[in-house]
Each structure stands twice: as structure tokens, then as C-alpha cells.
């Protein structure tokens, strides 16, 4: 009998020792906090809390320093014994003013921001919930450090440090989203991402090519989507949220739900969002030039120019969108973690509003100018292996396939012919990332990656009277673009105050294109590029104390010529046509920056960064000849021939600064300021302001947060861009700018005042509301064809379960 009793005692002791649970709650709401990460270096282990804020920390026994990390909350470091004394209960407090935030974009691994020499901005889920951005582009703008250009409502093209489009990189769960047809003009792909399915957003400023490769010149925008959450116990855990939202300026109606089901080793997360955006109403008070008093109506086979019933409504600008995501996670043990993700997004057709502003002989030039549905699909398998061996402590494999489809549909006023251009890209990628701690002071992050893009381009011409379609010229040649590389970043903690970081990457890229000479007499039928690029970085961080941080960074970036550079035929502006050029090389960026951050007590934080970037061998549009001709007839109009060429240098410099103040009684202040200026070399050797160097812009927020109530009263200001400060190519676009006293186009200064509030009505229900552009200002962000929303009332309700 004694043996039986002892055996049962051992079993019970074993069960207890194998599952030591900790519970994590929010200090303000007393609600569980899911997805909190707990990390220990000795013993080397980590765990993520489940949807109920619970985690099994049995493997942390004996740990002297357990870091408790959650974006939006203050970092805590405690010992296992301390947790034991607290009855294994953890209370998280909203982020205090400190320099200890955890970031992942710099090396695709968790790092303390104190150890990273580059500037990185993080957008927290709490900020997103309060701000209620309609699209991922609006989410980026909420950071106060990213400028957004819009040619139409179904879009949003980020500008960072004077660069945009194919000189910036988008990543989703560590997978690059840029394709071989990303153009130098404005791109809209960021709206394919669902703000409700994103749990973390980071923006790395300056070149990131060492880790991310081509296109990462001005910065990297990294989006991490919802992670399937495992159960910390043997009982399944179900959690999720449902949300509905209405906005008055465009009659937006959005519905969203996501649900997570977690078991001990398996977890699923499903997300779905549907949005319908009506035509956007602009503000009442502002430049008269922004008002379009007409619209096109087709009746009895005739395009008629009719009066716009409400001139403040920008017609056509409405569209709808659907986003879906499904993830499946399997974690058989502490060493292996597998996640499969499926993403899908599609829009309706949507008008390119800026093209509807163009006129010819006093009449609208276009009866139709719209984009077909923008479609994105991604299958992504991520495998993480944790094991201390000679090669790595942790290894991540990402295998991804993405499908992109976009199209352009346009027809001149009362023309019989409708032009249709369809582009499809199949993008395949494989990334191998390794992390190794060489010693207490030395770490290395290294890896390999390969990317393949297959581009299919189709041209059609349709007679609108007969409905008969015929083959037309395609926008691009049939092409493939390949990149493969090896890279490494070494981090050395020289002293307790000084951290050094150095990195290098060698990238091979190639492009093959087959040209069809049926419609255009190209003097070639194929293009082949095979070249390489070497980039590097060297930085240092000096932290004389917990409240000081000084960093300096030298880095290079590159952009390999893509299919859009080499092979596109399109009308860049009236009277000009861009033709292919098969003789291109990579462009390089050389960047230097210095940053400083200081915390005063526990109530004030100041930070500032100054930078300078030189873009060499820049790929720019220049006059060109095709078969010894400087002009050809394109779409019935004699047009000057141009092509993308390695023909210029450009420089950009600027300052980014901010403050954050904690005031008594739950109040706070924070703000951001961005100034950038740049010049690019023109064909004749003179210089012009850079097109994508946005005017200086700033924002200031007065916040309040006590228990279940939050509000944010804030202002946004955007400086003027005079005619002489406009880029040379922008000076002819009078249709999208206001007109100054001399009759020249310019971009006026503007501001908006805004108010957002959110109340946690119950443990399960949160209601938020806002009033944007309170004074109903009519404004148009620089280089945009679409005016910003007028006075806009937002109401949403979110149910947690």
C-alpha cells in the first residue's frame, strides 16, 4: 500500500511540476492580456500567453531574469522566485516613457531598441483601435512619421525620407510584398492589407537592404499579422472579436470578425473584413480649384458631361474591399513551431480620380479611367526551430507564394475604343534566417534568400459599341525577375554603454524579358540583365544610462532594375510616352544618420534624428530615342519618347523629431515633426526638387487615459509647397494643385483638428467615436489627386469574446 501511495504522490508532483501557470492582466482594465511574450536567456526559453492571458512557465524555473514583453505596455524583468512570491500573477502597466522597447524589423529577430542604430517607429494595437484607420495606408499615417499620397480613394502611397514606391519596401510576416512591376509612380499595394488583421506594425527608416535586399532604400514597412494563440492548459481556448464601423465622409460601412481557437499544440485564427466606401466628400472651406463641378454620364451610347449634384463629392472615388486570412499553427514541443498562413484580398473596380481631373479643349479628357479589381493572395509557411548548436540558437524558414493581379481600363471622352491592360505576377520566395549568440556580448544574425517573379501582361482593345475585343499592346513584356543573396549582421556589446553593429549583403539579380514588336517597332526582341550588388551597414549605440541613447549609423541600399524599369510602355503625361530600355544597372543609396533620445524622470521623452542620403546611378525618366526617332504616335497623339535610364544623382536630407510627456491625472502630450528636402539632377545638368520629398509636416496630440476611457484631441499640419519648390515634373500638373497669384500651380499649407474617444462599456464591449477635420477644411495632400475627407464622423463598436 505504501508503494501505491508513494507512486501517486510522485505522479501528482510530476503533474504539478510540469505545468506552472502564470496569469497576466492589464492594470487599467483588470482584463487578461493575450499574446504577451516571456523570455529568459538562462535557461534559454520563451513562451507566449494564450487568449486568456495564461502561460506555462515551468521551463523558466530558476531563471534570474525573465523579460515580459507586450507592445503598448512597459517592459518588466523579474525572476522566477519573484513570480512565485506574487502567486504567479503579473500586472502589466501601459508603456511608461522609456527607451527599452522591443523591435524586430532591424534583423527580423527580437532586439531591444536600445541596441539598434537605425530609427524604428512602432504602431501599437491600442493606437490603431483608438484611431480607427480605414486602410493600412491610413494606419501608417497615424504614426506621424509617414506621409501618404492618394491619387484615388482606393489607394495610399507612402513617402518616407524623400523616397516612395519602388524605393520603399513592404513586408508581411517577414515576406517581401514588392514585385517586379512596382513603379516609380505611386503604388497602392499597401491597401491590400487589413488593419484589423495586423497585430504589430514597424517602420524602419533609411536603407534596410542588408536584411531585406532590393528596394529598401528609404525605409521598410513591416506588418505582422495575427498569431494563432495556443492554450496554456489542456483545455481549448476560444477568443475573438467582432466589429462594425460607419464613417460619414464616404458613407463607409465596415464589418470585421476574427476568431482564435487554441489547443495545447494546435491553434487556428480566422479573420474576415468587408468594407464599402462611397464617394468621398471633401471639405467646405478651401481652394476652389479642388472642386470638380462635373461628372461623366453615358446614355444612348453618348458620353455626356453633366453637373455634379454635390460638387464637394469626388465622383468617381467609391469602392469596396474584402480581406480574408486563415492561419494554422502546430507546435509539437518547445523546439519546433510551424505556421501556415493564407491571405486573400480583392477590391472592386475603382476610379483613378486624378485622371478624371484632366481636360482637353475645355472638356474632360477621359470618359473612363479606372483600375480593375486589385487582387492579392499569399500562401506562407513559416518554420521556427530553437536549438543550441554550432550553427544557430534559432532558425526560421519562410516559404511563400504570392499572386498579384491589377488592371487599368481607360477610354477617352466619346471614343469608341476602350483600352484594357491586365498584369499578373506570381511571386515565389524562400528565406532562411539564423540567430546565434556567440557569447554574452556577441550575436550574429545571418541568412539566405531567393525571390522569383513571373510577370504576365495582357493588352486588349474593346469597341464599346459592338463589344468586340481584340488583342492590344501590353504594358509589359513577358518577363521573369530573380534575386538571391547571402547576408549577415554582427552585434558586439563593446561595453555596458556601447553596442556596435555591422552588416553586409551580396545580392545577385537577373531579368529576362521577351518583347512583342507587333504594335511597337522596338529595335530588340529581348532583354537580359545579370548583375550583382554589395551593400553594408555600420552603426553604434551609446547609452551612458537608462535615460540616454545616442546612435550613429552608416548604411547603403540598392534597387535592382525591375520589369517596370526595363520594359514598360505607358503615357507618363500628355505628350510623352515611356518606352523600354534594356540597358540598366542597379541604383545605390548611401546614408548617414545620427539620433539622440533622452528621458527626463518618468514624465518626458525627447528624440531627434538627422540624416543625409545620396542616391547614385539613379533610375530616372529621361528623353530617349526609339529607332532614331525622338517622337512617336501613341494613343493617337504625337508623343515625346522617354525611357528609364541610369542618368542622375539625387540627395535628400532631413530631421525627424518627437516628444512624449506624461501629465498628471491621466493626461499626456505627444507629437512628431518631419522635415525633408531633396534635389535630383535633370537631363541638362540643372537640379530640381525631388518629387517624393514631402513638405514638412507635424502632429500634436493631447491624450487622456483613465481606466475604461481614452480620448485623443490632435492637430495635423502640412506646410506649403510653392511653385518654385515643386518638382519639375509636378509643375505641369495644374489639375491636381491650387493656383497661386501668378497663375502657377502650388500646394497650399493645410491643417486639421480631430478628436477620437473610446470607452470600454463592459468587459466585452468597447465603443469608439471620432470627429475628423472638425473645421471642415478643404485640403489636398501634396502630390495627391484626391482631396482629403471633409468633416467626418466615425462610430464603431467592438465586441470581444
Amino acid at each position: 500500500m505504501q508503494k501505491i501511495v508513494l507512486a501517486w504522490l510522485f505522479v501528482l508532483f510530476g503533474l504539478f511540476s510540469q505545468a506552472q501557470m502564470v496569469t497576466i492582466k492589464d492594470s487599467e482594465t483588470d482584463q487578461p492580456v493575450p499574446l504577451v511574450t516571456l523570455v529568459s536567456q538562462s535557461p534559454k526559453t520563451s513562451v507566449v500567453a494564450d487568449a486568456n492571458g495564461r502561460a506555462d512557465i515551468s521551463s523558466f524555473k530558476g531563471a534570474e531574469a525573465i523579460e515580459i514583453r507586450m507592445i503598448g505596455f512597459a517592459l518588466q524583468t523579474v525572476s522566477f522566485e519573484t513570480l512565485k512570491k506574487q502567486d504567479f500573477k503579473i500586472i502589466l502597466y501601459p508603456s511608461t516613457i522609456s527607451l527599452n522597447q522591443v523591435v524586430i524589423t532591424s534583423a527580423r529577430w527580437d532586439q531591444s531598441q536600445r541596441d539598434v542604430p537605425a530609427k524604428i517607429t512602432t504602431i501599437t494595437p491600442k493606437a490603431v483601435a483608438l484611431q480607427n484607420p480605414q486602410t493600412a495606408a491610413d494606419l501608417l499615417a497615424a504614426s506621424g512619421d509617414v506621409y501618404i499620397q492618394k491619387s484615388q480613394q482606393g489607394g495610399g502611397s507612402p513617402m518616407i525620407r524623400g523616397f516612395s514606391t519602388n524605393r520603399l519596401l513592404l513586408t508581411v510576416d517577414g515576406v517581401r510584398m514588392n514585385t517586379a512591376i512596382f513603379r516609380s509612380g505611386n503604388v497602392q499595394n499597401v491597401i491590400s492589407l487589413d488593419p484589423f488583421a495586423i497585430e504589430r506594425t514597424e517602420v524602419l527608416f533609411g536603407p534596410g537592404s542588408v536584411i531585406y535586399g532590393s528596394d529598401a532604400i528609404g525605409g521598410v514597412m513591416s506588418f505582422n499579422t495575427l498569431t494563432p494563440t495556443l492554450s496554456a492548459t489542456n483545455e481549448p481556448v476560444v477568443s475573438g472579436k467582432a466589429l462594425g464601423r460607419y464613417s460619414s465622409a464616404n458613407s463607409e460601412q465596415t464589418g470585421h470578425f476574427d476568431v482564435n481557437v487554441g489547443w495545447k499544440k494546435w491553434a487556428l485564427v480566422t479573420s474576415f473584413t468587408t468594407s464599402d466606401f462611397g464617394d468621398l466628400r471633401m471639405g467646405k472651406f478651401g481652394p476652389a480649384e479642388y472642386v470638380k463641378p462635373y461628372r461623366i454620364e453615358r446614355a444612348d451610347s453618348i458620353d455626356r458631361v453633366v453637373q455634379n449634384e454635390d460638387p464637394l463629392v469626388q465622383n468617381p472615388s467609391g469602392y469596396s474591399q474584402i480581406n480574408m486570412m486563415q492561419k494554422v499553427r502546430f507546435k509539437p514541443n518547445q523546439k519546433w513551431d510551424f505556421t501556415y498562413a493564407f491571405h486573400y484580398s480583392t477590391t472592386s473596380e475603382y476610379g483613378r480620380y486624378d485622371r478624371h481631373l484632366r481636360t482637353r479643349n475645355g472638356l474632360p479628357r477621359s470618359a473612363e479611367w479606372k483600375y480593375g479589381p486589385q487582387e492579392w493572395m499569399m500562401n506562407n509557411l513559416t518554420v521556427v526551430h530553437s536549438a543550441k548548436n554550432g550553427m544557430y540558437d534559432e532558425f526560421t524558414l519562410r516559404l511563400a507564394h504570392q499572386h498579384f493581379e491589377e488592371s487599368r481600363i481607360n477610354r477617352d471622352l466619346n471614343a469608341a475604343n476602350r483600352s484594357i491592360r491586365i498584369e499578373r505576377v506570381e511571386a515565389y520566395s524562400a528565406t532562411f534566417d539564423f540567430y546565434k549568440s556567440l557569447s554574452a556580448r556577441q550575436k550574429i544574425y545571418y541568412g539566405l534568400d531567393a525571390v522569383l517573379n513571373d510577370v504576365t501582361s495582357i493588352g486588349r482593345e474593346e469597341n464599346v459599341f459592338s463589344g468586340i475585343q481584340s488583342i492590344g499592346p501590353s504594358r509589359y513584356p513577358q518577363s521573369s525577375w530573380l534575386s538571391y543573396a547571402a547576408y549577415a549582421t554582427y552585434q558586439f556589446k563593446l561595453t555596458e554603454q556601447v553596442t556596435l553593429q555591422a552588416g553586409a549583403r551580396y545580392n545577385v539579380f537577373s531579368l529576362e524579358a521577351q518583347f512583342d514588336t507587333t504594335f511597337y517597332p522596338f529595335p530588340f526582341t529581348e532583354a537580359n540583365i545579370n548583375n550583382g550588388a554589395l551593400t553594408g551597414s555600420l552603426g553604434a549605440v551609446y547609452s551612458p544610462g537608462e535615460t540616454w541613447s545616442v546612435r550613429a549609423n552608416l548604411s547603403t541600399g540598392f534597387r535592382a532594375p525591375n520589369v517596370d524599369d526595363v520594359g514598360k510602355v505607358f503615357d507618363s503625361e500628355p505628350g510623352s510616352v515611356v518606352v523600354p530600355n534594356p540597358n540598366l544597372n542597379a541604383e545605390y543609396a548611401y546614408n548617414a544618420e545620427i539620433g539622440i533620445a533622452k528621458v527626463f524622470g518618468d514624465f518626458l521623452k525627447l528624440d531627434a534624428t538627422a540624416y543625409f542620403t545620396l542616391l547614385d546611378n539613379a533610375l530616372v525618366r529621361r528623353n530617349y530615342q526609339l529607332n532614331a526617332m525622338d517622337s512617336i504616335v501613341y494613343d493617337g497623339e504625337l508623343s515625346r519618347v522617354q525611357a528609364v535610364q541610369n542618368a542622375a544623382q539625387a540627395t535628400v536630407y532631413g530631421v525627424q523629431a518627437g516628444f512624449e510627456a506624461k501629465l498628471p491625472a491621466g493626461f499626456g502630450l505627444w507629437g512628431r515633426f518631419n522635415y525633408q528636402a531633396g534635389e535630383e539632377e535633370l537631363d541638362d545638368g540643372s537640379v530640381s526638387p525631388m518629387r517624393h520629398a514631402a513638405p514638412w509636416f507635424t502632429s500634436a496630440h493631447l491624450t487622456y487615459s483613465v481606466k475604461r476611457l481614452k480620448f485623443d484631441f490632435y492637430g495635423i499640419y502640412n506646410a506649403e509647397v510653392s511653385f518654385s519648390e515643386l518638382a519639375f515634373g509636378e509643375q505641369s500638373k495644374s489639375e491636381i494643385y491650387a493656383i497661386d497669384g501668378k497663375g502657377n500651380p502650388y500646394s497650399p499649407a493645410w491643417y486639421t483638428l480631430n478628436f477620437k474617444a473610446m470607452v470600454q462599456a463592459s468587459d466585452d464591449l468597447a465603443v469608439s467615436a471620432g470627429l475628423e477635420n472638425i473645421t471642415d477644411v478643404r485640403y489636398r495632400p501634396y502630390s495627391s489627386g484626391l482631396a482629403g475627407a471633409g468633416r467626418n464622423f466615425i462610430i464603431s463598436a467592438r465586441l470581444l469574446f
Side-chain angles (χ1 to χ4, degrees):
M1 178 61 70
Q2 281 185 318
K3 291 181 179 180
I4 295 174
V5 172
L6 287 172
W8 274 106
L9 287 174
F10 277 118
V11 168
L12 291 172
F13 177 78
L15 289 172
F16 176 79
S17 64
Q18 287 173 14
Q20 179 56 66
M21 307 303 298
V22 67
T23 302
I24 308 166
K25 290 188 175 183
D26 186 329
S27 64
E28 291 188 340
T29 65
D30 199 38
Q31 294 298 300
V33 183
L35 300 176
V36 178
T37 302
L38 294 88
V39 179
S40 166
Q41 297 300 322
S42 179
K44 180 73 174 178
T45 187
S46 65
V47 69
V48 176
D50 67 14
N52 293 325
R54 303 186 69 200
D56 181 354
I57 61 168
S58 304
S59 59
F60 289 78
K61 190 171 183 179
E64 292 296 325
I66 302 172
E67 287 191 356
I68 305 165
R69 307 170 178 173
M70 182 62 188
I71 189 169
F73 292 91
L75 178 71
Q76 295 186 33
T77 302
V78 297
S79 67
F80 188 88
E81 285 303 312
T82 300
L83 289 178
K84 188 175 180 180
K85 292 175 183 178
Q86 297 174 181
D87 293 327
F88 295 101
K89 295 177 181 178
I90 298 173
I91 303 298
L92 292 186
Y93 297 88
S95 292
T96 54
I97 296 175
S98 72
L99 305 175
N100 289 319
Q101 193 171 32
V102 175
V103 295
I104 61 174
T105 307
S106 177
R108 280 202 287 249
W109 296 100
D110 284 0
Q111 292 178 281
S112 170
Q113 196 159 19
R114 294 177 64 89
D115 297 331
V116 177
K119 173 177 171 56
I120 296 176
T121 289
T122 301
I123 305 171
T124 70
K126 283 191 172 184
V128 174
L130 180 60
Q131 290 300 319
N132 261 318
Q134 291 189 347
T135 68
D138 299 331
L139 183 154
L140 288 168
S143 69
D145 284 321
V146 179
Y147 196 89
I148 299 295
Q149 181 276 350
K150 290 188 179 183
S151 298
Q152 65 280 328
Q153 191 177 189
S157 188
M159 295 183 183
I160 297 175
R161 290 191 175 184
F163 297 103
S164 187
T165 62
N166 56 16
R167 290 173 179 150
L168 300 176
L169 187 73
L170 297 171
T171 71
V172 184
D173 294 335
V175 178
R176 62 179 288 132
M177 199 176 182
N178 290 38
T179 72
I181 62 171
F182 265 39
R183 54 194 180 275
S184 59
N186 301 302
V187 296
Q188 321 302 332
N189 296 69
V190 71
I191 71 163
S192 292
L193 302 176
D194 180 3
F196 294 109
I198 295 170
E199 69 181 18
R200 184 187 186 96
T201 303
E202 292 181 5
V203 182
L204 180 148
F205 295 88
S209 288
V210 168
I211 298 297
Y212 295 97
S214 179
D215 304 1
I217 286 179
V220 177
M221 293 159 284
S222 173
F223 300 91
N224 290 277
T225 58
L226 298 173
T227 301
T229 306
L230 300 166
S231 173
T233 69
N234 291 321
E235 296 297 320
V237 174
V238 179
S239 63
K241 64 178 179 286
L243 180 144
R245 184 175 64 205
Y246 172 80
S247 300
S248 64
N250 56 0
S251 300
E252 178 213 12
Q253 299 177 63
T254 289
H256 166 82
F257 78 85
D258 61 72
V259 59
N260 183 100
V261 183
W263 295 270
K264 191 74 172 178
K265 296 183 178 181
W266 289 88
L268 311 171
V269 63
T270 302
S271 174
F272 179 85
T273 302
T274 177
S275 296
D276 185 79
F277 306 102
D279 292 329
L280 183 67
R281 179 193 175 277
M282 68 176 73
K284 185 177 181 180
F285 306 103
E289 295 89 347
Y290 295 169
V291 176
K292 182 169 74 72
Y294 61 83
R295 62 182 178 84
I296 308 300
E297 185 177 90
R298 187 166 179 81
D300 299 324
S301 300
I302 298 175
D303 297 323
R304 303 182 190 277
V305 182
V306 300
Q307 184 176 1
N308 195 353
E309 291 83 356
D310 184 348
L312 299 183
V313 174
Q314 300 172 87
N315 181 325
S317 61
Y319 77 106
S320 59
Q321 182 166 340
I322 291 174
N323 286 82
M324 294 184 286
M325 184 187 76
Q326 179 65 59
K327 286 188 176 182
V328 181
R329 181 182 180 190
F330 175 54
K331 189 173 183 180
N333 51 49
Q334 288 297 313
K335 292 189 175 182
W336 289 98
D337 199 340
F338 303 83
T339 302
Y340 164 75
F342 171 79
H343 299 262
Y344 179 76
S345 171
T346 188
T347 68
S348 64
E349 293 183 343
Y350 52 94
R352 179 165 171 179
Y353 186 76
D354 64 334
R355 292 301 177 100
H356 287 271
L357 302 176
R358 295 162 63 175
T359 59
R360 183 164 50 191
N361 300 324
L363 290 173
R365 178 173 178 174
S366 299
E368 302 175 47
W369 218 121
K370 59 187 176 183
Y371 289 108
Q374 178 174 293
E375 187 175 296
W376 171 63
M377 180 183 71
M378 180 168 78
N379 293 280
N380 178 24
L381 176 65
T382 302
V383 180
V384 179
H385 184 227
S386 302
K388 281 199 170 186
N389 57 46
M391 285 189 62
Y392 59 86
D393 294 342
E394 198 165 334
F395 157 68
T396 300
L397 166 66
R398 296 179 182 89
L399 300 175
H401 163 253
Q402 298 178 82
H403 167 81
F404 299 85
E405 182 169 329
E406 60 187 52
S407 55
R408 293 161 179 81
I409 304 161
N410 63 85
R411 182 176 61 85
D412 286 349
L413 187 70
N414 281 314
N417 189 64
R418 175 186 291 131
S419 296
I420 303 170
R421 305 290 182 266
I422 303 171
E423 279 70 56
R424 299 188 183 103
V425 179
E426 305 298 330
Y428 307 89
S429 61
T431 304
F432 305 81
D433 286 319
F434 301 87
Y435 159 73
K436 179 66 179 176
S437 176
L438 302 176
S439 68
R441 293 181 177 271
Q442 301 179 80
K443 300 175 182 177
I444 186 169
Y445 309 89
Y446 64 101
L448 305 166
D449 70 27
V451 179
L452 171 65
N453 283 191
D454 282 329
V455 178
T456 300
S457 188
I458 300 169
R460 294 176 185 156
E461 303 296 327
E462 180 182 3
N463 186 292
V464 295
F465 296 105
S466 66
I468 296 174
Q469 289 193 356
S470 59
I471 297 174
S474 61
R475 183 177 172 90
Y476 298 113
Q478 309 309 302
S479 315
S480 64
W481 184 88
L482 176 66
S483 166
Y484 46 96
Y487 49 91
T489 296
Y490 172 72
Q491 191 177 89
F492 177 51
K493 204 162 188 64
L494 185 63
T495 68
E496 288 301 314
Q497 292 80 34
V498 179
T499 301
L500 305 177
Q501 185 167 296
R505 177 189 185 97
Y506 185 71
N507 208 119
V508 175
F509 57 87
S510 64
L511 184 151
E512 295 181 358
Q514 301 295 319
F515 291 89
D516 183 354
T517 58
T518 303
F519 298 95
Y520 301 112
F522 301 131
F524 44 80
T525 58
E526 62 179 33
N528 292 280
I529 295 177
N530 198 333
N531 216 326
L534 178 65
T535 52
S537 64
L538 177 63
V541 181
Y542 174 56
S543 302
E546 287 294 314
T547 62
W548 271 102
S549 179
V550 181
R551 54 184 179 78
N553 196 38
L554 300 172
S555 55
T556 61
F558 80 100
R559 186 173 77 83
N562 64 18
V563 175
D564 185 85
D565 299 311
V566 171
K568 179 171 61 178
V569 178
F570 83 116
D571 60 327
S572 59
E573 57 197 19
S576 297
V577 59
V578 176
V579 301
N581 177 11
N583 303 307
L584 296 177
N585 294 306
E587 58 183 10
Y588 286 87
Y590 303 90
N591 179 75
E593 66 182 83
I594 185 167
I596 186 169
K598 169 64 176 173
V599 172
F600 299 87
D602 62 349
F603 66 92
L604 179 64
K605 174 185 173 183
L606 301 177
D607 71 271
T609 301
Y611 61 89
F612 176 85
T613 305
L614 168 67
L615 184 66
D616 192 31
N617 216 26
L619 292 161
V620 293
R621 198 165 62 231
R622 291 287 184 264
N623 289 339
Y624 193 64
Q625 287 192 338
L626 184 65
N627 292 331
M629 296 185 296
D630 61 11
S631 298
I632 62 173
V633 175
Y634 180 78
D635 274 355
E637 183 175 350
L638 185 66
S639 301
R640 183 67 171 88
V641 174
Q642 297 181 326
V644 174
Q645 303 170 55
N646 293 104
Q649 280 192 341
T651 58
V652 61
Y653 59 90
V655 174
Q656 297 174 285
F659 72 92
E660 184 179 353
K662 187 177 180 181
L663 304 178
F667 285 94
L669 281 172
W670 70 272
R672 301 300 307 168
F673 172 81
N674 284 265
Y675 172 82
Q676 48 276 311
E679 293 182 335
E680 60 183 352
E681 183 182 2
L682 297 178
D683 207 12
D684 61 1
S686 61
V687 296
S688 164
M690 285 186 69
R691 175 188 176 189
H692 291 130
W696 68 264
F697 60 100
T698 186
S699 62
H701 297 248
L702 171 64
T703 62
Y704 176 78
S705 178
V706 172
K707 295 190 179 296
R708 294 174 177 261
L709 175 65
K710 301 178 189 295
F711 75 66
D712 184 359
F713 177 69
Y714 63 99
I716 299 172
Y717 180 81
N718 191 116
E720 175 184 310
V721 182
S722 66
F723 175 73
S724 62
E725 294 170 325
L726 285 175
F728 180 75
E730 294 292 291
Q731 292 180 351
S732 61
K733 299 178 182 178
S734 58
E735 71 273 10
I736 67 172
Y737 290 108
I739 303 300
D740 66 16
K742 296 181 180 179
N744 294 319
Y746 82 112
S747 180
W750 56 267
Y751 74 93
T752 64
L753 298 177
N754 316 270
F755 180 79
K756 302 286 177 65
M758 182 167 65
V759 59
Q760 191 75 38
S762 68
D763 291 346
D764 303 322
L765 178 65
V767 178
S768 62
L771 189 61
E772 296 178 331
N773 194 359
I774 296 171
T775 56
D776 208 19
V777 173
R778 183 184 306 154
Y779 68 97
R780 185 175 283 169
Y782 165 72
S783 193
S784 296
L786 188 79
R791 187 181 294 120
N792 183 32
F793 174 70
I794 305 167
I795 182 74
S796 73
R798 184 180 63 196
L799 180 67
L800 303 178
F801 59 89

